[in-house]
Amino acid sequence: MNPHILHTPAIDLDSCVIYQIYPMSFQDSNGDGMGDINGIRQRLGYLTQLGVDLLWLTPIYRSPKRDNGYDVADYHTIDPAFGTLAEMEQLISDAAARGIGIMMDIVANHTSIEHEWFVRALAGDPRYQAYYVFRDKAFVDAHPITSIFGGNGWQYVPQLDRYYLHNFDASQADLDWDNPAVRAEMAEVINFWLAKGIKGFRFDVIDMVSKEWSRLAMSNGPRLHDYIRELNQASFGGKGIITVGETWGADLAHMQHYSNPNGSEFSMVFNFEHLGLGRDKWSSHFDPLAFKRAMARHQTGLHGLGWNSLFLGNHDLPRAVSRFGDDRPEWREVSAKLWAMVIHLMQGTPFIYQGEELGMTNRHWQADELRDVEAINYRASQSELDPAELGRRLDAIGRDNARTPMQWDSGPRAGFSTAAPWIVLNDNHVAINAAEQRARPDSLFHCYRQLIALRKAHPVIRHGDVALLDEEDPERISYRRRWQDPITGARHTLLLLANLTERPLVMPHFDQVEKGATLLISNYPGEPAATFAPYQATGWLMTT
Ligand code: GLC
């Protein structure tokens, strides 16, 4: 392998921007309708133009793909659908040559039941049975667990007369992290990928690895932070690696622990509160006030004490413009720009989910088009629900929305593949696609480029403190950020003002824009005035 990979400079957490690739749906290079590693290599030019620093790939390990790769059968091999280990090494090397790092997804809470460990456990090997959470009937009766994907979280194995725990699909068996051998295996997996030149890791549902049986709690268990610190020391710690934990259950105190600036755990975590998906995500609606309160709490609570991730979407979430913004054709682009500005001018590390930079949207799903195990299970479990309401929920929340193929151009397969894709394309690729937006300077794609460049250019975006103004106003988002240059003493103030409604609205803080302020970015042409147009947003910089 290329020796220079290991010597590329560490990626700087303060300024880095991460792009999430869902490899199955990014680019197909071999005409089988499924994206692959060589497809990603072909699109490195696009990613370089966008200006991102790190590519998070959702799992590409060998997997039966019941849960699209989050059911790992072998952490050391690449699934043949995606390519080979040699192609992966080539991707790492090609990306490094462009100054881009690769972030691997570590699925440490569970394995596929096709993993060798589980196969050996079923064959009766006690060493591997102790890798998983096998329990007898009395224990299971006393500890009922509902799977996150629906149904009983315990699966009976007749030949062992025992049950194994699966918090997700029955094909995803939970590992027992209280067993030190399991923790050592995971450190070994990470070290294997570090040696290949990987620059970052995303830890899948990591807050679930320590379980608390007395409270029947599957997340935030008593040993959670001990286990993460141990893993940090045994693998990625102190090596300039960017890490992010997926933690649905993290409150501010946990977030401070996880992202402690002393580097003992992760660089940051994903907290999902701002999405408003709540307890019953299927019937949830976006609430701008809840968004603002969550952002205010996290931005203030982690300033100097931890680090935020900043994101609007991922492969499990609705398309950002459909969830937060207004995806009707006349407003789609301007509202997607607004939300990009709101997120990218805050403190933390922005994550862009593939297609978000084009304003890709949710779509309307027919039952036979669904591919996601969660949506399919949910649909099957909701026979009581009014079918029209069920359809609305799947259209608004279903994870397949984020998994339709990347819209590269207006051609019949959107430039994604030469064959029929594994999942249906969104018809709107005719209008919404990368080719059109790269050629048009005022497109959403170029707005994202500009936001990434601004983060690199302005220390106030990287380091400034954050004050949300009018936190209880549901129609506007306004915030102020301040940073003083320790060398020159100059004070920099950034002011973000955004009208969240489709009506013109007076912006009360517009009078804080001083004479001589620089308009850093705007989603409307021309000079802004105190009354903002629908979904108008502006970012100003003032230096004294
Ligand atoms: C995470 C992943 C999701 C997966 C689940 C189980 O939430 O993001 O896609 O289904 O973990 O691994």
Side-chain angles (χ1 to χ4, degrees), residues 67 70 110 149 168 202 204-205 246 315-316 399 403:
D67 188 20
Y70 285 96
H110 45 263
F149 287 170
F168 294 90
R202 177 262 188 189
D204 188 59
V205 291
E246 186 200 24
H315 64 291
D316 296 326
R399 304 194 300 179
R403 301 175 181 188

Side-chain angles (χ1 to χ4, degrees), residues 266-284:
F266 297 139
S267 312
M268 63 198 140
V269 291
F270 293 130
N271 169 292
F272 296 86
E273 209 183 318
H274 63 292
L275 274 136
L277 288 168
R279 276 270 151 233
D280 183 9
K281 73 166 187 171
W282 291 102
S283 54
S284 70

Side-chain angles (χ1 to χ4, degrees), residues 243-470:
T243 49
V244 54
E246 186 200 24
T247 57
W248 284 81
D251 58 13
L252 184 59
H254 276 289
M255 290 167 81
Q256 287 167 346
H257 276 287
Y258 282 121
S259 65
N260 189 328
N262 72 11
S264 59
E265 297 195 19
F266 297 139
S267 312
M268 63 198 140
V269 291
F270 293 130
N271 169 292
F272 296 86
E273 209 183 318
H274 63 292
L275 274 136
L277 288 168
R279 276 270 151 233
D280 183 9
K281 73 166 187 171
W282 291 102
S283 54
S284 70
H285 293 281
F286 174 61
D287 172 1
L289 279 183
F291 173 91
K292 289 173 65 170
R293 289 181 195 133
M295 287 322 237
R297 186 154 16 89
H298 299 153
Q299 287 283 306
T300 315
L302 293 181
H303 182 73
L305 297 172
W307 193 250
N308 273 290
S309 65
L310 303 168
F311 66 101
L312 296 169
N314 71 26
H315 64 291
D316 296 326
L317 301 173
R319 285 284 174 182
V321 69
S322 301
R323 179 71 179 176
F324 294 94
D326 186 334
D327 65 6
R328 291 173 297 175
E330 65 274 36
W331 298 121
R332 188 187 56 84
E333 187 159 281
V334 80
S335 83
K337 286 179 181 171
L338 175 157
W339 283 99
M341 289 164 63
V342 165
I343 280 289
H344 280 254
L345 295 179
M346 287 193 184
Q347 188 176 31
T349 298
F351 286 72
I352 301 167
Y353 179 65
Q354 68 179 44
E356 175 189 328
E357 76 281 17
L358 306 174
M360 282 177 61
T361 67
N362 285 356
R363 69 182 289 282
H364 172 58
W365 293 88
Q366 304 295 336
D368 63 351
E369 293 169 337
L370 295 173
R371 292 289 175 272
D372 174 25
V373 60
E374 182 190 40
I376 291 167
N377 289 354
Y378 181 70
R379 193 171 166 277
S381 70
Q382 299 298 309
S383 50
E384 311 280 273
L385 191 66
D386 165 37
E389 173 60 16
L390 178 60
R392 265 195 298 279
R393 291 183 181 189
L394 290 165
D395 290 352
I397 307 291
R399 304 194 300 179
D400 282 328
N401 285 302
R403 301 175 181 188
T404 60
M406 181 71 176
Q407 296 172 195
W408 295 106
D409 62 39
S410 59
R413 309 279 192 217
F416 165 70
S417 176
T418 51
W422 68 277
I423 188 172
V424 68
L425 262 169
N426 194 324
D427 291 336
N428 65 18
H429 71 273
V430 177
I432 304 173
N433 62 71
E436 188 277 328
Q437 294 196 33
R438 285 173 94 178
R440 181 165 55 85
D442 70 348
S443 68
L444 182 60
F445 174 79
H446 287 289
C447 173
Y448 271 89
R449 285 187 68 203
Q450 195 184 347
L451 285 165
I452 294 167
L454 286 173
R455 171 168 301 272
K456 314 233 181 254
H458 297 287
V460 64
I461 302 178
R462 302 193 297 276
H463 310 301
D465 63 12
V466 186
L468 238 87
L469 312 171
D470 305 329

Side-chain angles (χ1 to χ4, degrees), residues 79-101:
D79 193 273
F82 295 125
T84 63
L85 195 55
E87 287 165 354
M88 183 61 189
E89 288 173 349
Q90 198 57 54
L91 170 64
I92 296 168
S93 159
D94 290 358
R98 293 172 176 272
I100 296 177

